[in-house]
Amino acid sequence: MTEAHRADLPPIDRAPLVRRQWRAVGVQIACIAITLFMALPIVLIALSAVSSRDALNRFPKPLVPSEISTDTLVSFFRSTGTVAALGNSVLVGLYTVFWSLIVGAPAGYALARYAFRGKDAYQVFVLLVRALPIVVLSVPLATIFLHLHVYDTVLAVTLVHTVLALPTTVLITASIFVAVPTDLEEAARVFGCTRWQAARRVVVPLALPGLAASSIFTFVLSWNEILGATIVTLGHRTLPAQVLTSLGEASTPYRFAGGFALIIPALLFILVMRRYLVNMWGTTLR
């Protein structure tokens, strides 16, 4: 191209590219700010949990502990009922994930694949459970558990948490199954699979990242739930309920150690399931 032709071309408008670059920078800054906002309390609790008792009682408290001490954590886990409560929390969380998927995933599949009268009303009715206060559900359930002789057991807490997690599990799995193409399922049935075999061999593997994301949400919901576990248990409480009932008489080091102990298992579960959650954005919801 000659210099004369280049002179005739209009100047390149770089404003859209610059706006796009600034928009990307703004998104990155917002993500970093949200991450710092969410991570800062976790970091502060972790630093306080590994600080010595003298450092915690000192004023002003240092942001970074000058000496690392595990005395606070050791005394917390040696306190009466802490290890048993931790085991109860893990069991309740895993059982809640299992039963929520066993009951909620088929319901979500039915919502995604079938059209029936009252479908929209059914979805609103499912969410009605989350609209009710936990006390409204826990007190009648506690009465039922007393009559069935399952009060103050892991089963009782599991049932309460499953009731709370089912609405979101049903709706999340329904959205996941909608994203799985029906053509693949129909192709599997053409090659001789029954509807159950097509769902098990084709739909479930493709929806696995979304089911893992639902499991993360359910486990964290179960792990953080306190009021229901406090109402339906007395001697076999979960760790959050155990810590809550002890906060009034607990010292400051015990509170920081308890907060740190409540954070770690949920973070470990999320880290284990993280690869499925990351894959969801590129596969199931494509």
Side-chain angles (χ1 to χ4, degrees), residues 42-56 63-74 77 252-253 255-258 260-261 264:
I42 299 176
V43 173
L44 293 178
I45 291 176
L47 292 176
S48 300
V50 297
S51 299
S52 61
R53 294 178 179 267
D54 295 336
L56 291 177
L63 182 61
V64 179
S66 57
E67 56 181 3
I68 303 298
S69 175
T70 59
D71 295 339
T72 302
L73 290 174
V74 170
F77 284 105
T252 302
R255 298 178 182 180
F256 283 119
F260 184 70
I264 293 303

Side-chain angles (χ1 to χ4, degrees), residues 16 19 22 55 91 100 111 116 129 134 141 148 198 236 245 267 270:
R19 287 196 299 267
W22 278 108
L91 287 177
S100 296
L111 287 176
F116 53 90
V129 178
I134 180 60
L141 287 175
L148 296 178
H236 298 81
T245 54
L267 290 180
I270 293 174

Side-chain angles (χ1 to χ4, degrees), residues 55-124:
L56 291 177
N57 295 326
R58 193 180 307 156
F59 185 83
K61 294 180 177 62
L63 182 61
V64 179
S66 57
E67 56 181 3
I68 303 298
S69 175
T70 59
D71 295 339
T72 302
L73 290 174
V74 170
S75 61
F76 171 77
F77 284 105
R78 285 181 177 177
S79 59
T80 304
T82 299
V83 176
L86 176 61
N88 291 336
S89 292
V90 174
L91 287 177
V92 169
L94 295 178
Y95 289 159
T96 302
V97 170
F98 175 78
W99 287 113
S100 296
L101 290 179
I102 289 296
V103 179
Y109 178 82
L111 287 176
R113 288 292 188 262
Y114 297 100
F116 53 90
R117 182 178 299 178
K119 181 178 178 179
D120 296 335
Y122 171 76
Q123 297 184 62
V124 175

Side-chain angles (χ1 to χ4, degrees), residues 174-250:
S175 63
I176 295 301
F177 287 130
V178 165
V180 178
T182 57
D183 297 341
L184 298 177
E185 189 175 358
E186 293 174 355
R189 298 193 65 185
V190 168
F191 283 102
C193 291
T194 63
R195 180 174 289 276
W196 164 250
Q197 291 174 337
R200 181 171 58 87
R201 296 180 180 180
V202 177
V203 178
V204 172
L206 292 176
L208 188 60
L211 297 178
S214 176
S215 301
I216 292 174
F217 180 84
T218 301
F219 184 86
V220 173
L221 183 147
S222 173
W223 184 268
N224 292 332
E225 203 284 321
I226 297 176
L227 186 57
T230 305
I231 293 176
V232 300
T233 56
L234 286 176
H236 298 81
R237 285 181 168 168
T238 59
L239 186 60
Q242 179 79 11
V243 172
L244 177 66
T245 54
S246 305
L247 283 181
E249 302 175 355

